[in-house]
Amino acid sequence: MAATSSRHSADLLIVGGGPAGCAAALMAASLGMRSILIEADALCGKLQHIAAVNNVVGGFSSGPELGAAIAKDIGRTRLCTVELGVCATEIRADDDRVTVTTDTGQHLDAPYVVVATGVSPLPVDDAPWLAVATEAATPTLWGARLPDTSRGSLLILGADRPLGTFLRAHPALDATVLVAYPQDDDYKVDEVRVDPRVTLLPVTHLTLRPGGGSLLAAEWTDRQGHPGAATADGAFLNLGSAPTPPPGDPVRGSDGYCPPDQQHPRILTAGDLRSSRFQRIMVATGSGSEAALRAYYAAQDLPQVGQDGVAY
């Protein structure tokens, strides 16, 4: 492991190797900063589950294609040391450094850290509007693969953004897609509202159980208090996601996310970890680049500019 001085392991530590973390590494390298990036899985591993993208620059049409290009860029970056299969077990910040402890027993330190560990799918237990019988098979929609010739009906439980990705990835899917979702998901359905395959079911509660044979039976109460029922050939959980910051000093807001303006000055959060409202690939890469740039400005004692345009 290369070190920039006898005091610090690197100029910048990066925890998480998704689009945000990789963008931070590339920005840091462009500024001459040496970084260490640790990632529990593979670089941009979650992009492998996004079969279709339509909102990124560069002409990429799938997550795996984009992920491979990002990993290739990181591989050409001599100023970034990548350690895969490594988890951060604690992040601590003090007046002059940040220390990241890993599950391999390392204690890495640097003046700043970018934390970009992202999110993971919410379980059923975190959805008070939903009750699913244990016998009712409900895999997660994230990364689901179905043949384009599938027919019948599918029940999607929740309107989180993987639904739009799923529908774009299966343009020839010949099925009725019933989307049951709570009020908190109202702002998410605009992306799929015009898809002729989709029937929106705004509900206050839904119960799912086996319906005989391979079918599933759903019973719900809609927003007006009226009961409803339907059977489906399959069901997928699409309930949203929960932030996954490492233990230690990263500060969580009331919603569990880690907003940048609430962190220790030496901890910079980036990507999906920041907010549930901005979980897009392009937004994540921009936030990772900005986080590295902020670390550089702070290390050089250069004034920074907030969102209001005021230097501080």
Side-chain angles (χ1 to χ4, degrees), residues 99-300:
T99 300
V100 174
T101 303
T102 74
D103 60 352
T104 58
Q106 298 181 84
H107 298 280
L108 305 172
D109 65 284
Y112 299 92
V113 63
V114 173
V115 185
T117 47
V119 296
S120 59
L122 282 173
V124 172
D125 292 344
D126 287 348
W129 62 277
L130 180 62
V132 177
T134 55
E135 319 89 86
T138 48
T140 302
L141 184 65
W142 181 257
R145 300 179 186 277
L146 289 181
D148 287 341
T149 56
S150 292
R151 295 179 179 273
S153 61
L154 298 176
L155 176 63
I156 310 299
L157 301 170
D160 202 45
R161 294 187 183 93
L163 175 58
T165 299
F166 173 80
L167 292 172
R168 289 193 302 272
H170 299 87
L173 177 66
D174 186 14
T176 299
V177 181
L178 305 173
V179 181
Y181 61 98
Q183 188 171 1
D184 287 347
D185 283 2
D186 281 353
Y187 74 97
K188 300 179 181 179
V189 299
D190 287 343
E191 183 179 1
V192 302
R193 188 185 301 276
V194 298
D195 192 309
R197 297 168 293 180
V198 170
T199 298
L200 296 178
L201 302 174
V203 303
T204 59
H205 187 268
L206 184 144
T207 299
L208 184 70
R209 58 175 61 91
S214 61
L215 295 176
L216 296 171
E219 299 176 353
W220 64 82
T221 303
D222 68 18
R223 306 280 179 83
Q224 287 73 45
H226 302 141
T231 58
D233 296 283
F236 293 91
L237 295 178
N238 187 41
L239 302 176
S241 52
T244 56
D249 288 340
V251 176
R252 290 177 180 248
S254 59
D255 58 359
Y257 286 85
C258 299
D261 60 356
Q262 295 183 21
Q263 306 306 314
H264 187 283
R266 296 191 178 278
I267 296 177
L268 302 113
T269 55
D272 292 355
L273 187 66
R274 302 174 308 153
S275 169
S276 63
R277 295 285 180 132
F278 302 104
Q279 294 178 2
R280 306 284 183 177
I281 297 170
M282 289 299 294
V283 177
T285 55
S287 72
S289 298
E290 181 186 6
L293 193 58
R294 286 187 177 276
Y296 173 77
Y297 285 156
Q300 300 296 320

Side-chain angles (χ1 to χ4, degrees), residues 57-126:
V57 298
F60 299 102
S61 60
S62 74
E65 182 186 10
L66 175 60
I70 293 174
K72 187 175 181 179
D73 285 342
I74 292 293
R76 291 195 293 259
T77 305
R78 296 182 180 179
L79 291 178
C80 178
T81 298
V82 177
E83 300 192 9
L84 300 180
V86 177
C87 294
T89 57
E90 186 178 59
I91 297 178
R92 293 295 179 188
D94 56 31
D95 289 342
D96 63 351
R97 71 178 67 190
V98 177
T99 300
V100 174
T101 303
T102 74
D103 60 352
T104 58
Q106 298 181 84
H107 298 280
L108 305 172
D109 65 284
Y112 299 92
V113 63
V114 173
V115 185
T117 47
V119 296
S120 59
L122 282 173
V124 172
D125 292 344
D126 287 348

Side-chain angles (χ1 to χ4, degrees), residues 292-308:
L293 193 58
R294 286 187 177 276
Y296 173 77
Y297 285 156
Q300 300 296 320
D301 288 326
L302 297 173
Q304 301 190 42
V305 177
Q307 293 183 349
D308 55 4

